[in-house]
Amino acid sequence: MYRFSVTICFIFASLVIVLFTLIISDNSFKPATDQAAVLVQDLTAIRIWIVVAALALYSWKSATKQPRGQFLAVVTAVAWIMFLEDYMVLDGVLIVASQPLAQLVILTRPIFLVALTYVAFKQWEVDLI
Amino acid sequence: MSKHSNKDPTQPSQEELDALLGSTSLFSFQSVRASLDRRSLLFKRTYIVLMAVTLLYVMGWFTGLVKPYMVFAITGLEADYQLHQIRFLLAFIMITIGTIALNFDWHVEETFSTMAWIQVYFIISGVGRQWRTMSEDNLAVIVIYVCNLLLILSLLVILIIEERRLKSTAS
């Protein structure tokens, strides 16, 4: 179950990276308003680096068998905060297009959050033992 | 025969159960003051400053004194106002969680470390957004914004370092 959840997290992160790369490079992603256009640029520019950094750090910590409960707790908290911000403020921004990939990311996001939370709790248990 | 005595040797007695529950950190509730008294003077003062900053901010917000200096007052974006409200609420939730962690003396260092990293996220995302959105005339607002957030971050870092020091001296 732990590995399955980790796999879900990796797949979601990959989808997000691909989506954000498309948003930056492809003009077909048109936000609804000018305000949304500004926000989506800002958010994608920052968040893509957060996702990449989190993936790289997790992989490095896993490979070197370092404790990563604290790291996962931080990543989980930030992921939930991003979700809250998107849901309450930026829903008209991130739900930018009827692109299948964007819809896939939106649909799989709750699954990712649950999986990430599970991984964080499980890892915390492992680190304590 | 005592009513608490137990004939079955495989079942724990009431005294054993009490001892087990008593040793569990989840039930070791204490006041924040007692928890602070066990820590260094610097930790105590930093925590009080953190609370004072929070209180001043609430007072400034509800009296309307800080509103002209807020980002949304300059950008005029509704999203900035909403983001501020959400982050303000999240900060209060984090302070509550930190206080609960102190109350129970449960993973204090880890709790404040997580809070510090979330603060780092707020700084990076907030400054990144403003840097692209604001004109150079409003650079002072970005500087004030960064100083405010860095003050809170530095207070959190002091708390983490002091808690780590307490742990290392205790072990």
Side-chain angles (χ1 to χ4, degrees):
Chain A
M1 188 65 185
Y2 177 86
R3 285 188 180 178
F4 178 66
S5 300
V6 171
T7 309
I8 289 174
C9 294
F10 268 88
I11 290 170
F12 181 82
S14 310
L15 284 175
V16 168
I17 291 170
V18 173
L19 177 66
F20 283 176
T21 312
L22 277 175
I23 288 173
I24 292 166
S25 60
D26 190 354
N27 290 328
S28 63
F29 286 87
K30 294 283 186 195
T33 61
D34 290 342
Q35 175 182 317
V38 173
L39 286 167
V40 80
Q41 282 175 359
D42 293 343
L43 289 169
T44 49
I46 294 162
R47 287 187 180 180
I48 194 164
W49 290 112
I50 293 174
V51 172
V52 169
L55 271 182
L57 260 172
Y58 180 80
S59 304
W60 179 65
K61 279 178 176 281
S62 299
T64 53
K65 298 198 186 301
Q66 288 182 37
R68 46 194 183 275
Q70 172 78 66
F71 168 74
L72 281 169
V74 172
V75 170
T76 307
V78 171
W80 276 102
I81 287 169
M82 284 179 182
F83 175 71
L84 196 68
E85 287 178 349
D86 292 347
Y87 180 71
M88 295 186 79
V89 183
L90 310 169
D91 58 334
V93 175
L94 287 191
I95 305 174
V96 283
S98 55
Q99 295 273 355
L101 189 59
Q103 287 182 338
L104 187 63
V105 167
I106 292 158
L107 281 172
T108 51
R109 198 172 186 185
I111 300 167
F112 156 74
L113 284 170
V114 172
L116 183 61
T117 309
Y118 173 79
V119 171
F121 273 102
K122 208 71 187 166
Q123 192 61 49
W124 196 269
E125 277 179 29
V126 171
D127 287 355
L128 283 179
I129 297 165
Chain B
M1 184 186 285
S2 165
K3 69 177 182 180
H4 293 300
S5 65
N6 198 342
K7 286 180 179 176
D8 187 356
T10 60
Q11 295 290 318
S13 66
Q14 188 60 43
E15 288 78 12
E16 286 169 331
L17 281 172
D18 289 343
L20 281 169
L21 290 174
S23 65
T24 310
S25 60
L26 187 65
F27 296 98
S28 62
F29 180 82
Q30 54 186 322
S31 71
V32 173
R33 178 179 284 185
S35 187
L36 287 175
D37 283 343
R38 290 202 314 107
R39 289 169 169 82
S40 68
L41 191 62
L42 182 59
F43 187 101
K44 201 173 175 177
R45 283 180 178 169
T46 309
Y47 185 77
I48 290 166
V49 170
L50 188 65
M51 288 293 134
V53 167
T54 311
L55 195 64
L56 282 173
Y57 189 81
V58 174
M59 287 162 68
W61 173 258
F62 284 109
T63 54
L65 285 171
V66 294
K67 276 185 185 174
Y69 305 103
M70 291 290 167
V71 174
F72 58 81
I74 290 146
T75 60
L77 290 175
E78 180 69 13
D80 277 331
Y81 180 71
Q82 290 173 328
L83 273 176
H84 168 262
Q85 282 189 312
I86 289 174
R87 291 186 173 188
F88 187 50
L89 177 69
L90 287 169
F92 266 99
I93 291 170
M94 286 195 293
I95 283 178
T96 308
I97 291 170
T99 308
I100 290 169
L102 264 179
N103 246 326
F104 286 93
D105 206 359
W106 188 82
H107 292 292
V108 175
E109 188 196 332
E110 289 82 355
T111 306
F112 282 104
S113 297
T114 307
M115 286 162 65
W117 279 110
I118 291 169
Q119 183 72 1
V120 170
Y121 164 68
F122 285 168
I123 293 172
I124 292 171
S125 59
V127 172
R129 246 191 61 60
Q130 287 173 40
W131 195 260
R132 290 167 64 99
T133 314
M134 279 196 183
S135 60
E136 285 183 11
D137 302 340
N138 293 312
L139 192 67
V141 177
I142 301 178
V143 173
I144 292 169
Y145 177 82
V146 173
C147 288
N148 279 336
L149 292 180
L150 281 179
L151 170 71
I152 296 167
L153 180 64
S154 55
L155 290 173
L156 289 170
V157 170
I158 292 170
L159 289 177
I160 294 161
I161 292 169
E162 282 301 302
E163 181 64 18
R164 200 167 286 179
R165 192 177 292 169
L166 177 77
K167 269 187 186 174
S168 62
T169 51
S171 61

